[in-house]
Amino acid sequence: MAKVEEEESFQNLVSARQLLESSLQKSRGFASTLDQTGLRLEIISQGLPSLEAAARSTISLQKCAFHIDPAIAAAAAVLKVFHMARELQKSLLSCSCYDDHLFNYLSLMKQLQQVLRFLADNCRLAIKWLESIVEHMEDYAITNDWYLSNVKKSLGILQDLQDKEESLGILGAAFQKLEIEFERLLTENSVPLALASLATTSNVEEALNQSCLLPPTIQKLQAILVGLNSNSQLGMCISVYVDVRSSNAKRSLQALGLDYLDMSITKFDDEQGIEEDYIEKWSKHLVLAVKYLFELEYRLCNKVFKKIGSDVGMRCFAKIAAQSGILAFLQFGKHVTESSNKDAIKMLKLLDMFASLDNLRLDFNRLFCGEDCTEIQNQTRDLIRRIVDGACQIFWQLPLQVELQRRGSPPSDGSLPRQVSFVTSYCNQLLGDEYRPIMAQVLVIHHSWKQESYEEGLISYQVCKIMKAIGVNLDSWSKAYEDISLSYLFMMNNHCHFCNLKGTRLGDVMGDSWLTAHGQYTDYYAALYLRESWGNLVTLVSQKGLQTDLVKKRLKAFNEAFDERYKKQSKWIICNENLRKKVCQHLEQAILPVYQSFMQNYRLLVEQDVKYSVQNLEKLLSCMFQPTITKYWGSNNIGDLVGNVEYKSSAAWSLGNMLSALFPQKLSKYGRTKRAQWMNRMKNSVSNQFRFTLTAI
């Protein structure tokens, strides 16, 4: 049984092979016939002029009876070509243009075009010959009925043939099938570009090669376009190409989440700062769109339409870019520039946008060149103009914006004002490698538009003006405190913040003398704070030989004064950890030894009235001025709460890169020499005052 099945299977294979060989042989014969068609048409075309000359000669010499046969032969040749056209038409109707059959189909269509062109050129000519012969024979009463009958019969056939050739529309169906195949090839091979994954790809060429249409598909599309272009039938395919590739590009961009591009200008104004959340996305997405998506579409247009003219490809690319999203990117940028928000952060965001566009400048000039991209070019130039104008306008208003903050109130805990930390951080950013070159470039462009020259150092000069404005603000804020001790702590905090700018871009611009001055101011205000706030506390427990009642009164007064100061000042903050530790150490050194001596001398007299041990005081003083402190004030005895004090290291509160600077109003009014002399005197005064204060405590 198995042997029978094996033989049957073998016979099936043999039959299949014979069938394939037969089909292949028929295909070769058909191809050979097509190749010979052009040759036969050429032979017929070469013979027709001689027939035309013979016919004219016959008519002129009135010897038409002897030359009717050649005219009829010419008509028969045209009729034979017509039959060839009918056979080619049948072949086209039965032949597929799908995939591998496409080039065979195009070859058939080309043969049919040649045949129809021959008929169009020669059918009317042959009819004209025969009509002239009939007219001549009838005019001269030539009575050869057989010849006249043959001529009229041939004439009737050709006239009927001409009517059919004009009405059949043989190529219409072929063009439609090619257009359908063009759309199918394009649609099935157009896959959205995974732009999100390409964001981490450094090799642009490799990414584009992997995402492009494969060469075989491009060759088929080119072949169809060439075939249709020779018959002025490109319109439909161009429209299809633009629609398919635009839709594909839109899907590629939609995967990035670009809903924010459709926000109206009203929403920008209603939600302050909303553009800050999206400009970074906009810059990133614009790079992906231009470097990958539009670059890919540009290359495909050049390849697909290469054989029919680059102008067609550029026209298609311009429509694809406009319809798929480039105009939406530009419109979003315009909305950012039109929003009513004019704060300092917006200037940096405008610089980010300018940098993105500037980095893509060469790509824009190459991709969106020519008349077809005029709208994109105009909107891009308009956006750049708006960005430059907007950034420069905010840049010149920065000192005024700082000055307007003067109306506010200082922090209730004496810490660094948010405005100070923001302004100094902002200036440091502006002077950094990321923004300073961009700002300079924007200023150069803006000056050139006004036909003015840009001066080096303009950015540094503007930063100094900002620092002077913030200095005046600090002087004003410090006077707002009712507690002079808190005012001193506030100024100590800010000057310490400024003197720590050494090594930063802002510190370099302001100079070493400026930094040194702030260091001296820090020590100066620390000394004033210690003397004003704690100077009279230690005197209560520092005297010896006191009577019992006076000892108890002094201890009670010390406890009440310490409680009052600690409860109030434990809410104050010293921002810099090193400065905080330094101030706490000075307090401990000034208070603890004196208090310890007092307790040793009068322990027996005040044992029942002792509220704080030396260890408790040390713990309380060491954790003062913490940026984050949680206190539990449920007990009247502060010493009972020492174990409940929780605090964070000020390092956790550190502003990190939030650097700032200040040029005090007091120093700004002096010249360089007088300022140096004043600073030297101040340095000595601060040192002596600081030592005096601690000794007095």
Side-chain angles (χ1 to χ4, degrees):
M1 184 67 178
K3 186 175 181 180
V4 173
E5 292 179 353
E6 184 178 351
E7 290 179 356
E8 183 176 351
S9 176
F10 178 76
Q11 290 298 327
N12 290 336
L13 290 173
V14 172
S15 299
R17 178 183 176 183
Q18 292 174 348
L19 180 61
L20 289 173
E21 289 179 348
S22 176
S23 299
L24 181 60
Q25 186 174 3
K26 290 180 180 179
S27 297
R28 289 173 179 171
F30 185 70
S32 177
T33 301
L34 288 176
D35 292 338
Q36 294 173 3
T37 302
L39 180 61
R40 285 186 289 179
L41 288 175
E42 185 177 353
I43 294 173
I44 294 173
S45 297
Q46 292 175 355
L48 286 175
S50 61
L51 290 175
E52 180 182 10
R56 289 176 178 174
S57 175
T58 299
I59 295 172
S60 62
L61 296 175
Q62 300 183 4
K63 296 180 180 180
C64 56
F66 300 100
H67 298 282
I68 291 176
D69 286 342
I72 294 177
V78 174
L79 185 60
K80 185 177 181 180
V81 173
F82 171 75
H83 289 306
M84 291 172 58
R86 295 301 298 269
E87 292 299 323
L88 287 171
Q89 181 187 11
K90 292 178 181 178
S91 298
L92 277 175
L93 293 175
S94 61
C95 181
S96 171
C97 63
Y98 185 80
D99 280 346
D100 294 338
H101 302 286
L102 174 62
F103 294 103
N104 185 36
Y105 188 87
L106 289 170
S107 179
L108 280 173
M109 193 180 76
K110 184 177 181 180
Q111 295 287 343
L112 179 59
Q113 287 175 306
Q114 291 176 345
V115 170
L116 293 179
R117 193 176 299 113
F118 176 87
L119 291 175
D121 293 340
N122 296 287
C123 187
R124 291 182 178 84
L125 180 60
I127 291 173
K128 183 177 179 181
W129 295 345
L130 294 180
E131 286 177 342
S132 299
I133 293 174
V134 170
E135 181 182 354
H136 188 81
M137 292 179 70
E138 290 176 346
D139 289 344
Y140 288 90
I142 298 175
T143 58
N144 191 327
D145 295 335
W146 183 82
Y147 282 111
L148 184 60
S149 175
N150 284 341
V151 172
K152 288 184 177 181
K153 183 178 179 181
S154 298
L155 179 60
I157 292 173
L158 288 178
Q159 289 174 336
D160 184 57
L161 170 61
Q162 183 181 18
D163 294 338
K164 289 183 178 180
E165 188 270 328
E166 290 177 351
S167 61
L168 284 176
I170 299 174
L171 289 176
F175 294 152
Q176 188 175 10
K177 289 178 70 174
L178 287 177
E179 291 168 356
I180 294 173
E181 177 62 8
F182 184 88
E183 183 174 5
R184 185 194 69 81
L185 283 171
L186 196 60
T187 303
E188 292 183 0
N189 291 279
S190 293
V191 180
L193 198 59
L195 291 173
S197 63
L198 293 177
T200 57
T201 302
S202 57
N203 192 332
V204 177
E205 294 297 328
E206 180 180 349
L208 292 176
N209 290 335
Q210 293 175 355
S211 307
C212 194
L213 295 178
L214 296 178
T217 302
I218 293 179
Q219 292 173 3
K220 292 176 182 178
L221 295 174
Q222 287 176 337
I224 293 175
L225 290 172
V226 170
L228 294 176
N229 185 46
S230 62
N231 292 275
S232 302
Q233 299 291 323
L234 274 181
M236 181 60 70
C237 281
I238 290 177
S239 177
V240 166
Y241 186 89
V242 171
D243 290 343
V244 172
R245 294 305 302 181
S246 294
S247 298
N248 188 71
K250 284 182 181 178
R251 291 196 298 271
S252 302
L253 290 172
Q254 287 170 355
L256 297 175
L258 302 181
D259 294 341
Y260 64 90
L261 294 180
D262 298 326
M263 286 192 303
S264 64
I265 184 65
T266 304
K267 191 166 185 178
F268 275 102
D269 291 334
D270 292 343
E271 301 182 35
Q272 288 293 328
I274 190 172
E275 69 269 18
E276 298 176 24
D277 299 329
Y278 294 117
I279 289 177
E280 184 177 354
K281 290 183 179 180
W282 178 86
S283 298
K284 176 182 176 182
H285 293 161
L286 181 61
V287 170
L288 290 175
V290 174
K291 288 284 188 182
Y292 293 96
L293 183 62
F294 295 129
E295 177 69 27
L296 173 63
E297 296 303 329
Y298 177 81
R299 295 187 183 188
L300 283 180
C301 284
N302 285 336
K303 289 180 180 179
V304 172
F305 295 95
K306 179 180 179 180
K307 295 184 177 181
I308 60 173
S310 59
D311 57 328
V312 179
M314 279 305 301
R315 187 162 64 250
C316 288
F317 170 72
K319 293 179 179 179
I320 293 170
Q323 294 179 16
S324 60
I326 186 62
L327 295 180
F329 277 100
L330 299 176
Q331 188 65 28
F332 174 87
K334 181 180 179 181
H335 284 170
V336 172
T337 62
E338 291 177 340
S339 68
S340 59
N341 179 20
K342 302 298 181 183
D343 61 20
I345 287 295
K346 182 176 180 179
M347 190 190 83
L348 298 184
K349 296 305 177 182
L350 290 175
L351 294 181
D352 288 337
M353 295 176 66
F354 179 86
S356 297
L357 291 171
D358 188 57
N359 290 335
L360 294 172
R361 177 168 50 86
L362 296 179
D363 298 283
F364 264 79
N365 291 341
R366 178 173 52 86
L367 296 178
F368 306 116
C369 63
E371 295 181 359
D372 298 308
C373 295
T374 299
E375 182 180 5
I376 298 175
Q377 296 166 11
N378 291 338
Q379 291 200 27
T380 302
R381 283 192 291 266
D382 179 67
L383 176 57
I384 293 174
R385 180 185 61 79
R386 290 173 177 273
I387 290 174
V388 170
D389 285 340
C392 289
Q393 181 183 6
I394 297 175
F395 177 77
W396 295 118
Q397 292 179 349
L398 287 176
L400 177 60
Q401 290 191 19
V402 173
E403 182 180 339
L404 293 176
Q405 298 296 322
R406 198 172 302 161
R407 305 169 185 172
S409 301
S412 60
D413 55 11
S415 61
L416 196 71
R418 187 184 66 85
Q419 295 91 333
V420 173
S421 59
F422 170 78
V423 168
T424 53
S425 173
Y426 182 88
C427 290
N428 206 48
Q429 277 187 288
L430 185 59
L431 293 169
D433 293 335
E434 181 180 0
Y435 286 110
R436 186 165 189 163
I438 304 172
M439 188 73 249
Q441 185 178 357
V442 167
L443 289 170
V444 169
I445 294 173
H446 196 255
H447 277 68
S448 67
W449 290 347
K450 297 189 298 181
Q451 296 182 344
E452 298 175 354
S453 60
Y454 170 77
E455 297 181 4
E456 293 294 334
L458 185 58
I459 298 176
S460 298
Y461 173 77
Q462 188 74 347
V463 166
C464 289
K465 290 180 64 176
I466 294 171
M467 295 306 103
K468 289 182 180 180
I470 201 67
V472 176
N473 287 4
L474 285 175
D475 287 341
S476 175
W477 291 333
S478 67
K479 297 174 183 177
Y481 290 108
E482 295 182 0
D483 191 325
I484 190 64
S485 297
L486 184 56
S487 175
Y488 292 152
L489 184 134
F490 170 77
M491 295 300 286
M492 177 179 62
N493 264 322
N494 284 278
H495 286 294
C496 179
H497 176 70
F498 301 141
C499 72
N500 287 328
L501 288 171
K502 187 178 180 65
T504 67
R505 297 300 178 91
L506 188 54
D508 294 341
V509 167
M510 301 308 295
D512 290 338
S513 60
W514 182 84
L515 296 170
T516 302
H518 283 294
Q520 293 174 342
Y521 266 115
T522 301
D523 293 340
Y524 173 71
Y525 282 108
L528 291 179
Y529 161 75
L530 291 171
R531 185 181 66 178
E532 181 68 27
S533 187
W534 299 90
N536 62 349
L537 181 66
V538 179
T539 58
L540 296 173
V541 292
S542 62
Q543 298 183 20
K544 297 180 180 180
L546 300 175
Q547 297 179 357
T548 302
D549 293 341
L550 188 58
V551 169
K552 291 184 177 182
K553 290 181 180 179
R554 289 290 183 90
L555 181 59
K556 181 180 179 181
F558 175 86
N559 291 337
E560 290 176 353
F562 183 83
D563 286 350
E564 183 270 331
R565 284 168 175 74
Y566 189 85
K567 185 174 182 179
K568 178 173 64 175
Q569 297 191 24
S570 62
K571 299 177 183 179
W572 297 356
I573 290 175
I574 296 179
C575 304
N576 182 271
E577 176 66 8
N578 292 331
L579 179 61
R580 189 193 70 81
K581 289 181 178 180
K582 182 178 178 181
V583 172
C584 289
Q585 287 173 0
H586 287 317
L587 286 175
E588 293 171 12
Q589 292 169 3
I591 296 174
L592 295 180
V594 178
Y595 183 76
Q596 185 177 15
S597 176
F598 180 85
M599 296 301 295
Q600 289 175 350
N601 292 331
Y602 302 106
R603 177 173 295 277
L604 296 177
L605 297 176
V606 296
E607 187 172 2
Q608 300 299 323
D609 300 315
V610 174
K611 191 173 185 179
Y612 300 106
S613 67
V614 176
Q615 291 75 16
N616 285 344
L617 282 180
E618 183 179 4
K619 290 180 180 179
L620 289 172
L621 292 173
S622 65
C623 68
M624 287 186 67
F625 314 117
Q626 295 286 345
T628 302
I629 299 178
T630 303
K631 293 287 186 178
Y632 302 91
W633 291 104
S635 170
N636 292 327
N637 190 338
I638 298 179
D640 296 338
L641 305 177
V642 173
N644 294 327
V645 176
E646 299 177 0
Y647 64 94
K648 290 183 180 180
S649 168
S650 63
W653 183 87
S654 173
L655 296 177
N657 291 330
M658 297 292 286
L659 303 173
S660 66
L662 166 68
F663 199 96
Q665 188 179 23
K666 297 176 182 178
L667 292 180
S668 63
K669 64 183 180 181
Y670 294 135
R672 178 178 300 178
T673 303
K674 189 173 181 180
R675 182 166 63 242
Q677 295 173 351
W678 183 90
M679 289 173 63
N680 288 332
R681 292 197 303 270
M682 180 61 68
K683 181 177 181 181
N684 296 329
S685 175
V686 168
S687 300
N688 295 333
Q689 183 66 52
F690 199 73
R691 286 194 297 271
F692 170 79
T693 302
L694 293 178
T695 303
I697 292 176

